[in-house]
Amino acid sequence: MSTNQSVNPSTTSADFATPTGSPERAVPPLTKEDFARRWGFTSFLEMFEASTPVGKADGKKKWLLTALRGGKFLLWNDGEIGSAQEFESRDKALARIPATSREVSKAP
């Protein structure tokens, strides 16, 4: 069997983007365990326990800050893990918390 394939010159590049007769494959949703492993943790529980709540809880959703290897920080929302963002410093991460979710510091 030959590995060389001829290309029909009348075929446009768009024809190569979606092969005919092949159904599109859905990307499986990101699980919490996959999310944690992506950021260097062995489990979601380990990541959650290593995180600090930094924003008000909206129902069950809360903003968390997690220190990563290399001195970087991850700001994420446990109700929408796809919104996670990595920052060079803790202060830069805290500045990105939505104003409606920022904690109001209480005077002692």
Side-chain angles (χ1 to χ4, degrees):
M1 183 192 242
S2 171
T3 57
N4 294 333
Q5 296 179 355
S6 63
V7 177
N8 181 345
S10 65
T11 305
T12 63
S13 62
D15 293 332
F16 292 105
T18 308
T20 56
S22 298
E24 291 186 30
R25 293 184 189 177
V27 176
L30 181 68
T31 67
K32 288 183 175 184
E33 295 301 318
D34 291 336
F35 174 73
R37 284 190 290 272
R38 178 180 287 175
W39 294 104
F41 294 87
T42 58
S43 70
F44 182 77
L45 180 60
E46 178 190 23
M47 182 177 183
F48 191 83
E49 288 177 343
S51 302
T52 303
V54 291
K56 286 192 269 186
D58 299 329
K60 290 186 176 183
K61 300 177 183 179
K62 57 188 146 299
W63 288 96
L64 299 147
L65 187 65
T66 308
L68 301 174
R69 292 184 193 118
K72 295 185 179 184
F73 290 85
L74 182 70
L75 179 65
W76 57 287
N77 184 305
D78 71 338
E80 191 177 323
I81 58 177
S83 66
Q85 293 183 352
E86 185 177 12
F87 295 91
E88 295 292 324
S89 72
R90 184 178 197 280
D91 290 338
K92 287 180 181 178
L94 293 175
R96 294 299 302 266
I97 299 170
T100 57
S101 297
R102 291 191 182 143
E103 297 232 1
V104 179
S105 54
K106 298 175 184 176

